[in-house]
Amino acid sequence: EVQLVESGGGLVQPGGSLRLSCAASGFTFSSYWMSWVRQAPGKGLEWVANIKQDGSEKYYVDSVKGRFTISRDNAKNSLYLQMNSLRAEDTAVYYCARDSPYSSSWGFDYWGQGTLVTVSS
Amino acid sequence: DIQMTQSPSSLSASVGDRVTITCRASQGIRNDLGWYQQKPGKAPKRLIYAASSLQSGVPSRFSGSGSGTEFTLTISSLQPEDFATYYCLQHNSYPQTFGQGTKVEIK
């Protein structure tokens, strides 16, 4: 059974940093693109970033470029999102999602339960 | 960026109704589109991929169609468990973008 379990969310002050983790199991993690998707309270879904199977390609939405870094450790079956210079508008539930087993993204077939990040003083 | 315009933003329907939701892309995206269902407090669930392929385990009352810039999600006979918010997602080019969502409510 495919499982994605996020952790690392919490309350952080504006300008602060947080590192999210996603532990994957039930599939060959190293064979899939992986993504982070977020949802601000009461709002719609926003794709944040994704990373290729071997980590050689990474893409970000403009609003987080230069502040967020996506990474992965295939030996540990884990996905990460390092978030720096956090702003109030980054407040959201962050979902880890399994993307494509191919050479490009194709959407998300499995999602974690999400972890809440709150940026507030 | 490719803008995904979903309509309607909300609708009220009864059990057994046929429901259609539309997503329009600001430029052609071939069939690089999926449809997702989200219930309150839960993670989204993919219903349709590649515009018209049914995700494994999803009831056959859900169907998708379209290519290029116009896409449709149809629920042939609305069931009580289908009341939720639905999103389209384009993954043709970066950044991947979602529609703003369609909330399906009980009439």
Side-chain angles (χ1 to χ4, degrees), chain A residues 33 37 39 43-47 50 59 95 99 105-109 111-112, chain B residues 1 36 38 42-46 49 55 87 89 91 94-96 98-100:
Chain A
W33 284 79
V37 177
Q39 186 169 38
K43 301 297 184 181
L45 300 167
E46 181 183 39
W47 172 81
N50 70 354
Y59 299 91
Y95 294 102
D99 201 318
S105 180
W106 75 334
F108 320 121
D109 59 353
W111 300 62
Chain B
D1 297 4
Y36 296 79
Q38 187 179 32
K42 300 294 187 181
K45 171 188 174 183
R46 188 164 73 176
Y49 65 96
Q55 183 75 30
Y87 295 92
L89 165 72
H91 53 87
Y94 290 106
Q96 302 184 45
F98 288 90
Q100 78 276 20

Side-chain angles (χ1 to χ4, degrees), chain B residues 45-95:
Chain B
K45 171 188 174 183
R46 188 164 73 176
L47 304 173
I48 301 288
Y49 65 96
S52 59
S53 296
L54 192 66
Q55 183 75 30
S56 176
V58 173
S60 59
R61 62 181 180 272
F62 291 95
S63 64
S65 64
S67 183
T69 60
E70 293 277 340
F71 301 88
T72 299
L73 173 71
T74 299
I75 310 172
S76 60
S77 178
L78 199 65
Q79 298 302 301
E81 59 268 32
D82 300 337
F83 292 95
T85 300
Y86 294 83
Y87 295 92
C88 61
L89 165 72
Q90 72 79 19
H91 53 87
N92 177 265
S93 64
Y94 290 106

Side-chain angles (χ1 to χ4, degrees), chain A residues 45-118:
Chain A
L45 300 167
E46 181 183 39
W47 172 81
V48 174
N50 70 354
I51 184 168
K52 195 175 181 179
Q53 290 92 335
D54 61 359
S56 61
E57 293 181 37
K58 304 174 185 181
Y59 299 91
Y60 301 90
V61 68
D62 280 352
S63 59
V64 308
K65 281 180 184 174
R67 301 188 300 122
F68 290 12
T69 301
I70 189 171
S71 62
R72 64 192 297 160
D73 185 335
N74 287 340
K76 294 183 177 180
N77 291 336
S78 293
L79 177 72
Y80 306 101
L81 187 67
Q82 178 67 43
M83 304 185 296
N84 298 331
S85 303
L86 282 161
R87 306 166 180 167
E89 55 265 36
D90 296 317
T91 294
V93 173
Y94 284 74
Y95 294 102
C96 164
R98 191 177 83 166
D99 201 318
S100 164
Y102 305 118
S103 59
S104 59
S105 180
W106 75 334
F108 320 121
D109 59 353
Y110 285 94
W111 300 62
Q113 83 289 350
T115 188
L116 177 63
V117 172
T118 303

